[in-house]
């Protein structure tokens, strides 16, 4: 008898390894393209439309585990200067990280509002949070709070590092803080003048 359960299992495992390798290669490429440098902010992006789309995609992906995404925004639009799709990648990485670390049958809360010259995007998950001494480290390349948990969820320790570099390249900041029931990541981006 075949201990692996047949060639179907081996083929499925090989396909998964290939997908994971391609995802890692894509993440590394994103990270390298997001390194701080003098890149012109030559286009504009509406954060309201962007976040609505990303939240809808993440809501669909979280459905099998009972995870949902709520999006709160009272702004009609929130246009910021941008370069290529780096802000899309940053927001997507933060949102996917929150979804991956949230417990099943919970809601990830996404909020966008304007305050004192910047737009603030907050993404609050319903997960275990991060040890206080490691909050700043989660934005470093290849840093993972828990290697075993990250392997289970497919994390490489790159998503938040890519987000940080992209946000800083756009003149913004990104921070993390623990809440009573999870982790909140906030991105502050300058209002278009």
């Amino acid at each position: 008898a075949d201990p692996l359960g047949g060639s179907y299992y081996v083929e499925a495992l090989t396909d998964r390894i290939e997908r994971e390798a391609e995802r890692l290669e894509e993440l590394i490429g994103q990270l390298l393209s997001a390194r701080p440098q003098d890149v012109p902010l030559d286009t504009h992006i509406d954060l309201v439309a962007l976040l609505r789309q990303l939240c809808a995609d993440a809501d669909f992906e979280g459905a099998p585990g009972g995870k949902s995404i709520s999006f709160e925004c009272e702004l009609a639009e929130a246009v910021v200067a941008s370069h290529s799709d780096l802000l899309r990648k940053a927001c997507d990485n933060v949102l996917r990280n929150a979804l991956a670390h949230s417990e099943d049958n919970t809601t990830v809360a996404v909020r966008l509002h304007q305050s004192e010259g910047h737009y603030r995007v907050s993404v609050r998950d319903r997960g275990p949070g991060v040890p206080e001494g490691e909050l700043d480290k989660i934005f470093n390349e290849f840093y993972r709070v828990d290697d075993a948990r990250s392997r289970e969820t497919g994390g490489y320790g790159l998503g938040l590092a890519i987000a940080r570099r992209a946000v800083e390249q756009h003149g913004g900041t990104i921070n993390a803080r623990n809440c009573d029931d999870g982790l909140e990541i906030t991105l502050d981006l300058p209002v278009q003048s």
Side-chain angles (χ1 to χ4, degrees), residues 2 5-12:
D2 184 351
S7 62
Y8 173 77
Y9 176 82
V10 173
E11 188 175 321

Side-chain angles (χ1 to χ4, degrees), residues 59-81:
D59 194 57
F60 177 78
E61 290 177 24
K67 299 176 187 180
S68 62
I69 309 292
S70 70
F71 179 55
E72 178 186 329
C73 178
E74 296 180 3
L75 303 170
E77 64 177 19
V79 177
V80 295

Side-chain angles (χ1 to χ4, degrees), residues 36-80:
Q37 53 189 289
D38 294 327
V39 173
L41 301 181
D42 53 4
T43 187
H44 297 88
I45 191 166
D46 177 12
L47 293 174
V48 176
L50 172 65
L51 290 170
R52 283 191 198 286
Q53 179 186 8
L54 293 177
C55 287
D57 292 347
D59 194 57
F60 177 78
E61 290 177 24
K67 299 176 187 180
S68 62
I69 309 292
S70 70
F71 179 55
E72 178 186 329
C73 178
E74 296 180 3
L75 303 170
E77 64 177 19
V79 177
V80 295

Side-chain angles (χ1 to χ4, degrees), residues 71-167:
F71 179 55
E72 178 186 329
C73 178
E74 296 180 3
L75 303 170
E77 64 177 19
V79 177
V80 295
S82 183
H83 175 73
S84 186
D85 63 347
L86 289 179
L87 284 181
R88 170 181 292 279
K89 291 174 185 174
C91 293
D92 189 44
N93 286 345
V94 170
L95 191 53
R96 288 180 189 280
N97 186 72
L99 192 64
H101 293 293
S102 286
E103 300 292 330
D104 285 351
N105 302 309
T106 59
T107 300
V108 173
V110 180
R111 183 169 184 250
L112 170 63
H113 70 278
Q114 184 175 347
S115 175
E116 300 179 15
H118 67 267
Y119 294 114
R120 173 165 285 180
V121 178
S122 64
V123 179
R124 186 171 178 175
D125 70 29
R126 299 297 186 260
V130 173
E132 288 295 322
E134 300 184 29
L135 283 171
D136 288 335
K137 295 177 185 176
I138 65 173
F139 297 106
N140 295 340
E141 292 89 348
F142 304 108
Y143 183 81
R144 298 185 299 193
V145 173
D146 180 341
D147 284 340
R149 183 182 70 196
S150 295
R151 277 193 299 275
E152 287 175 12
T153 59
Y156 297 105
L158 289 173
L160 293 179
I162 291 166
R164 183 195 71 202
R165 290 188 182 276
V167 168

